[in-house]
Amino acid sequence: QVQLVESGGGLVQPGGSLRLSCAASGSSAIINVMGWYRQAPGKQRELVASITRGGNVNYADSVKGRSTISRDNAKNTVSLQMNSLEPEDTAVYYCYVRLAVVGRSYWGQGTQVTVSS
């Protein structure tokens, strides 16, 4: 069983920045995909950004140009740097991990990001 520990959430003023981090532990299996999803009240959970083991990245249109996702394969960690935050970025952010083993994926417990003055 894989455990995901998230950090970096909190209250940020509009125009500010934050860095979300997630560390995976509890398994020696190879991780193919790591990423971040978010869910705002009354909305569906949506992909924010993801990165494959080989470094292929994918961003939601709403965060392209102001976000950077990165990972350390040796440490099994993924980070999301977000800049120029706005109230519409307010949501619970969830770390996501997909293993090389078919059908094996895991979710973090979620960390709240609130953008407000």
Side-chain angles (χ1 to χ4, degrees):
Q1 191 80 25
V2 173
Q3 289 189 331
L4 304 178
V5 179
E6 302 152 320
S7 62
L11 177 63
V12 184
Q13 293 185 336
S17 301
L18 59 74
R19 184 173 184 267
L20 301 177
S21 296
C22 177
S25 63
S27 175
S28 61
I30 296 174
I31 298 174
N32 274 352
V33 180
M34 304 187 80
W36 290 91
Y37 286 70
R38 68 185 181 188
Q39 186 168 20
K43 302 186 69 176
Q44 297 293 317
R45 188 174 298 186
E46 63 177 355
L47 175 70
V48 181
S50 66
I51 181 168
T52 69
R53 184 173 182 83
N56 197 326
V57 300
N58 185 31
Y59 295 98
D61 289 341
S62 59
V63 304
K64 286 182 179 178
R66 61 187 182 95
S67 298
T68 302
I69 190 169
S70 60
R71 66 183 285 176
D72 186 327
N73 292 335
K75 297 180 179 180
N76 285 334
T77 59
V78 62
S79 297
L80 179 67
Q81 177 70 39
M82 300 187 69
N83 305 317
S84 301
L85 289 164
E86 299 296 338
E88 53 264 35
D89 295 311
T90 296
V92 177
Y93 285 68
Y94 297 90
C95 180
Y96 172 80
V97 167
R98 179 183 294 170
L99 304 185
V101 179
V102 176
R104 301 300 301 274
S105 60
Y106 299 87
W107 293 93
Q109 80 283 357
T111 182
Q112 177 71 48
V113 173
T114 301
V115 184
S116 175
S117 59

